[in-house]
Amino acid sequence: MRRAGAAATASYRHTVSEADVGAFASGVVHRVYGTAAMVRDMEYAARLVLLDLLEPEEEGVGAEVWCRHLAPVPVGATVELLAAVVEQDDRRLVCRVEARHHGKLAGEGRVVQVVVEGGSFPPPPAVSPRPESTGENAGTQ
């Protein structure tokens, strides 16, 4: 894994859909951005940072996610996730991630990813980009 620059960040915008609401086997709990969806999107934002740093023979895997859900985001609204590197060693990348809705902090977290050899896992199936995404992301190093 290459070294991250001092300002290594990535952002990702996601429009909250019905698939993102808090729900369990008994049904929908609240029609707002669920914590499980926020964790998923935080991990994705951190992965966007990692992708710019991986060597061709490397792959990254999630190792730890911590999330504090601070405010509701309604269905149909856009949440912006920003991941920034806070720690790195030879095989580990730690990002702080914020989720914002209209500029207000809706969630904060920390994502740890570990770099492994590319052949450590079976290759993923070919998939198209996530349909619920606006497809906007910007990474810098």
Side-chain angles (χ1 to χ4, degrees):
M1 172 173 52
R2 294 183 294 280
R3 298 300 300 171
T9 64
S11 64
Y12 165 65
R13 289 177 181 238
H14 177 74
T15 301
V16 178
S17 72
E18 290 293 339
D20 299 319
V21 302
F24 297 99
S26 59
V28 172
V29 178
H30 305 288
R31 284 196 68 248
V32 296
Y33 193 37
T35 304
M38 182 181 285
V39 166
R40 175 201 64 210
D41 294 340
M42 286 182 167
E43 188 169 17
Y44 182 66
R47 180 162 176 80
L48 293 174
V49 176
L50 180 66
L51 289 175
D52 286 341
L53 304 174
L54 291 174
E55 297 293 348
E57 70 280 359
E58 295 176 325
E59 179 54 85
V61 296
E64 179 182 335
V65 178
W66 173 84
C67 173
R68 181 180 302 170
H69 199 150
L70 301 169
V73 178
V75 170
T78 298
V79 62
E80 182 167 6
L81 295 105
L82 176 66
V85 174
V86 294
E87 189 180 325
Q88 181 181 15
D89 61 32
D90 291 343
R91 291 269 181 223
R92 191 169 154 267
L93 185 73
V94 182
C95 291
R96 172 175 164 67
V97 185
E98 293 182 348
R100 292 187 174 273
H101 172 241
H102 291 305
K104 179 182 173 189
L105 191 63
E108 61 185 354
R110 180 177 180 267
V111 176
V112 179
Q113 298 170 90
V114 175
V115 175
V116 297
E117 291 181 24
S120 299
F121 295 95
V127 295
S128 59
R130 292 177 37 181
E132 69 273 12
S133 161
T134 61
E136 298 177 27
N137 72 65
T140 60
Q141 257 177 274

